[in-house]
Amino acid sequence: KAGVTQTPRYLIKTRGQQVTLSCSPISGHRSVSWYQQTPGQGLQFLFEYFSETQRNKGNFPGRFSGRQFSNSRSEMNVSTLELGDSALYLCASSPEGDYGYTFGSGTRLTVV
Amino acid sequence: AQTVTQSQPEMSVQEAETVTLSCTYDTSESDYYLFWYKQPPSRQMILVIRQEAYKQQNATENRFSVNFQKAAKSFSLKISDSQLGDAAMYFCAYRRRWGSQGNLIFGKGTKLSVKP
């Protein structure tokens, strides 16, 4: 059974650019969550999608957005990148009604 | 708001020995989940063990067990017979049980080193 797949693994972007990260959940998992991990702030919740609807959102500016497709794959987008957006972005999926989240290996974003 | 605190930034254990990682949390809710995740250098967060707050029995998974003290809001992880592969960052996490608007709230983590 394939795990949670995140692409790309590494990304380097310039300030002001935008970026799109992708997450493919475990087959059958309809809930996808995104987290940002930095040395200073630790792990912070970005948003959660279920059946193509955002049902929970963390305290991040509007530059951070996401979506989920009918096959449960999810993307998150960050516009007008800032140096502080450099982080490891983790995606997690879970089946409905079960909170045993399975995480992907993350996308390491570096903004220069 | 719920918070999770891990007071030990770093811990060290000798191979084959036992180590306990501490976690406390704050919540006004009575029903919730608690988790321990392991994050090795490969970056993937791996679920080690989970505990449902309504269950009084402490969860156990092979060499990993927890000491869940609900009244004290304490949730420690004991690793027995430590192995070199146990070296990683360990994160304690909380999630409310009810309601769709729940998400994991993480502690800052404890870096565990295992000495051969």
Side-chain angles (χ1 to χ4, degrees):
Chain A
K1 188 175 182 181
V4 177
T5 303
Q6 291 188 248
T7 56
R9 289 266 294 173
Y10 300 92
L11 208 49
I12 300 175
K13 289 287 187 178
T14 304
R15 267 183 306 175
Q17 287 186 313
Q18 75 167 18
V19 67
T20 299
L21 311 182
S22 179
C23 172
S24 293
I26 290 173
S27 178
H29 288 193
R30 293 160 63 191
S31 170
V32 175
S33 302
W34 289 88
Y35 292 83
Q36 181 196 64
Q37 185 176 21
T38 60
Q41 298 298 317
L43 284 145
Q44 294 184 286
F45 171 71
L46 281 156
F47 26 66
E48 178 190 11
Y49 286 88
F50 180 81
S51 292
E52 302 179 66
T53 301
Q54 185 184 90
R55 68 178 180 182
N56 197 7
K57 187 177 188 299
N59 188 25
F60 277 82
R63 300 185 297 106
F64 291 81
S65 63
R67 58 178 176 169
Q68 187 180 32
F69 301 96
S70 58
N71 62 357
S72 293
R73 190 178 71 86
S74 177
E75 289 181 347
M76 67 163 281
N77 184 276
V78 188
S79 62
T80 319
L81 284 166
E82 300 176 0
L83 295 179
D85 297 332
S86 295
L88 178 66
Y89 290 88
L90 291 164
C91 168
S93 74
S94 67
E96 174 63 357
D98 185 328
Y99 304 116
Y101 298 92
T102 302
F103 282 80
S105 295
T107 294
R108 171 78 67 189
L109 172 65
T110 301
V111 182
V112 298
Chain B
Q2 297 90 0
T3 58
V4 177
T5 302
Q6 293 179 250
S7 59
Q8 306 152 316
E10 295 189 28
M11 292 281 286
S12 180
V13 64
Q14 206 72 34
E15 196 176 6
E17 297 294 308
T18 296
V19 64
T20 299
L21 308 184
S22 301
C23 172
T24 58
Y25 58 94
D26 189 25
T27 183
S28 59
E29 304 199 353
S30 60
D31 209 358
Y32 44 86
Y33 295 98
L34 295 165
F35 306 86
W36 277 99
Y37 278 91
K38 168 186 176 182
Q39 187 179 40
S42 66
R43 307 177 335 195
Q44 184 175 12
M45 298 282 281
I46 301 165
L47 178 63
V48 174
I49 200 165
R50 62 187 278 180
Q51 174 82 40
E52 287 89 349
Y54 64 90
K55 291 185 179 178
Q56 294 191 354
Q57 186 173 6
N58 289 325
T60 299
E61 288 286 343
N62 300 313
R63 298 182 295 108
F64 299 87
S65 61
V66 298
N67 184 3
F68 173 48
Q69 301 290 326
K70 191 172 183 179
K73 295 180 182 175
S74 171
F75 183 61
S76 61
L77 174 70
K78 185 172 83 171
I79 306 174
S80 304
D81 186 26
S82 296
Q83 300 175 0
L84 295 177
D86 294 333
M89 283 292 292
Y90 285 80
F91 293 93
C92 179
Y94 165 100
R95 191 206 187 277
R96 62 188 301 197
R97 184 175 182 204
W98 300 110
S100 61
Q101 293 197 342
N103 52 270
L104 291 172
I105 299 170
F106 288 91
K108 294 292 189 185
T110 296
K111 183 177 182 181
L112 178 66
S113 302
V114 181
K115 298 178 181 178

